[in-house]
């Protein structure tokens, strides 16, 4: 994941989206689907359908369940890759909060802390 992130951002090496995708795919082969989902959601053009499918896999037992559920909540709220459904988005955010482990609350960065991400989504939807 770190190497993939470095290729995405060009941090310490030349940016290379193809290499980043290759490393995110290797990570996904090991059961960590969220980063590849995020890659698809952030790509130009975005492939929200692929991102949603990968988040579903993570939500069903992947290794980064809470973050995947947060991304699903966001995409469901926005209607990106899945049908727009505010109630379902709220449900995904609550499921993310239920799936959070003690190691998930250590950062003040919403992009890596599902607690902050889920609460942000709930606040944005007026559901907290």
């Amino acid at each position: 994941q770190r190497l993939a992130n470095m290729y995405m951002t060009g941090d310490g090496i030349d940016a290379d989206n193809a290499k980043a995708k290759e490393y995110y795919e290797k990570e996904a082969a090991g059961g960590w689907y969220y980063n590849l989902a995020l890659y698809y959601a952030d790509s130009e053009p975005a492939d929200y359908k692929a991102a949603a499918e990968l988040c579903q896999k993570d939500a069903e037992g992947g290794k980064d369940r809470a973050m995947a559920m947060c991304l699903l909540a966001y995409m469901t709220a926005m209607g990106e890759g899945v049908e727009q459904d505010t109630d379902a988005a709220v449900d995904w955010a609550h499921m993310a909060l239920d799936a959070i482990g003690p190691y998930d609350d250590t950062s003040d960065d919403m992009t890596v802390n599902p607690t902050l991400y889920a609460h942000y989504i709930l606040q944005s939807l007026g559901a907290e």
Side-chain angles (χ1 to χ4, degrees):
Q1 175 208 355
R2 289 184 180 149
L3 188 54
N5 290 346
M6 290 171 69
Y7 277 119
M8 278 299 293
T9 62
D11 183 20
I13 56 178
D14 291 335
D16 186 330
N17 282 348
K19 284 229 184 248
K21 182 181 179 193
E22 176 185 333
Y23 283 101
Y24 286 133
E25 287 172 340
K26 288 179 182 186
E27 182 184 31
W32 295 87
Y33 306 103
Y34 172 72
N35 287 315
L36 183 57
L38 192 58
Y39 170 87
Y40 282 123
D42 287 344
S43 292
E44 283 295 327
D47 187 346
Y48 290 112
K49 184 174 182 188
E53 289 171 2
L54 287 164
C55 284
Q56 286 280 356
K57 286 177 77 169
D58 228 345
E60 294 168 2
K63 297 179 180 175
D64 209 356
R65 294 182 66 223
M67 286 302 292
M69 289 176 184
C70 287
L71 185 54
L72 272 171
Y74 172 80
M75 289 190 300
T76 303
M78 302 303 291
E80 301 286 2
V82 295
E83 185 177 328
Q84 185 176 15
D85 183 338
T86 301
D87 292 335
V90 169
D91 289 344
W92 279 118
H94 282 292
M95 286 188 284
L97 289 170
D98 290 342
I100 292 169
Y103 61 91
D104 288 327
D105 288 340
T106 59
S107 174
D108 61 356
D109 180 353
M110 184 174 68
T111 65
V112 296
N113 184 327
T115 301
L116 296 176
Y117 196 1
H119 284 292
Y120 169 79
I121 291 164
L122 291 170
Q123 286 175 336
S124 296
L125 296 172
E128 189 167 49

